[in-house]
Amino acid sequence: MAKPVLHYFSICGRGEVARLICAAGEIDFEDQAWAPAFDETGGWRQGYKPIGEKHGFPGVLPILEHGNLKLFQTTAIESYLASISLKFSGLTPEQKAKDQMYQLIKSDINGSTESLLFKKITAEDLKPVMAKWYDVIEGLLPESGFINGLDFPTPADLSVLVVAQGCMPFRAAPQMAECAPTPEKYPKMFRISTDAANYPQVAAFLAKSEHKTLKADPFGIMPADFSA
């Protein structure tokens, strides 16, 4: 079968965990990043809708194509990619459920943070939302090791990586709202995100990423040392 093809904007957003699952799960995939993601008005650069519409989907991204299988919806794509990885083939039902819990927490955060960027909510609206989620994540994380107790990151850890280090919209919106997380306040979240990012297959993917999607900052919101 041909390798999976992932279509998503050239930012972190709803596509990065899928990319990282392919990296950590050692899946050879094609990253079809829609670049540039935004036009001169700050809205999505148009032309991407037919990618999904030709399969009968709404004109949204991400879209996954893998042979005869076509998918939209972020968590469905992430979970499918994890399911075809030999690396993740030994995960128990409990571990898979925990992965999906963190994936859905990440998606909830995505919705809130992008709402600020698209001016649907205010900074004051976002602050208590982010405080709640950061506290929940920090409280759930283990003191050491990866979330599922393995010697490699699974989708749960990769979701934490995106929340802690992904620019658009995960870190950009809290930066704008002046409620950005810090390693001092959320040490476990930052430890796991760093360990996941440093896992050799993930680190190799991030290093060769054409558009540096994890930390891509097209509007220059983050401080200069963020992408270092």
Side-chain angles (χ1 to χ4, degrees):
M1 182 183 290
K3 60 187 177 182
V5 179
L6 179 69
H7 299 270
Y8 191 66
F9 303 106
S10 55
I11 58 167
C12 180
R14 300 180 187 276
E16 194 69 11
V17 167
R19 294 174 177 129
L20 296 173
I21 286 171
C22 289
E26 301 175 16
I27 299 169
D28 184 19
F29 81 112
E30 185 176 341
D31 187 8
Q32 283 286 339
W34 183 254
F38 300 98
D39 62 23
E40 63 278 0
T41 72
W44 297 119
R45 183 173 66 86
Q46 293 304 299
Y48 64 88
K49 292 183 179 181
I51 298 170
E53 289 174 340
K54 69 183 179 182
H55 301 307
F57 300 148
V60 298
L61 297 179
I63 299 292
L64 183 74
E65 300 168 333
H66 191 200
N68 292 328
L69 178 67
K70 323 296 179 187
L71 289 175
F72 84 110
Q73 296 287 23
T74 304
T75 305
I77 290 170
E78 294 168 354
S79 297
Y80 171 73
L81 290 169
S83 76
I84 64 172
S85 165
L86 292 178
K87 186 81 173 181
F88 300 141
S89 62
L91 295 181
T92 67
E94 292 82 2
Q95 289 170 325
K96 292 176 183 177
K98 189 174 287 189
D99 280 337
Q100 191 166 90
M101 180 179 73
Y102 281 91
Q103 290 167 247
L104 290 168
I105 290 172
K106 175 268 303 174
S107 290
D108 284 345
I109 293 171
N110 195 142
S112 297
T113 50
E114 74 177 13
S115 290
L116 178 71
L117 295 181
F118 288 117
K119 302 179 181 179
K120 296 178 181 178
I121 64 172
T122 68
E124 292 307 308
D125 294 328
L126 184 65
K127 286 178 180 178
V129 174
M130 297 312 298
K132 176 192 78 171
W133 282 124
Y134 291 146
D135 287 347
V136 166
I137 292 171
E138 185 70 12
L140 291 172
L141 294 176
E143 294 293 338
S144 62
F146 290 121
I147 291 168
N148 275 318
L150 303 171
D151 60 1
F152 55 87
T154 63
D157 307 286
L158 303 173
S159 297
V160 173
L161 167 56
V162 161
V163 170
Q165 297 191 34
C167 179
M168 294 292 289
F170 298 95
R171 288 295 304 276
Q175 183 72 20
M176 293 171 63
E178 299 182 345
C179 60
T182 64
E184 292 75 24
K185 189 167 184 179
Y186 303 106
K188 291 188 288 185
M189 184 172 77
F190 278 87
R191 176 190 63 77
I192 282 182
S193 73
T194 299
D195 290 348
N198 288 338
Y199 183 71
Q201 285 84 351
V202 174
F205 169 77
L206 294 175
K208 70 179 183 181
S209 172
E210 179 182 0
H211 300 286
K212 305 299 180 189
T213 49
L214 178 67
K215 295 193 173 184
D217 184 16
F219 300 118
I221 294 169
M222 300 301 294
D225 61 353
F226 173 74
S227 61

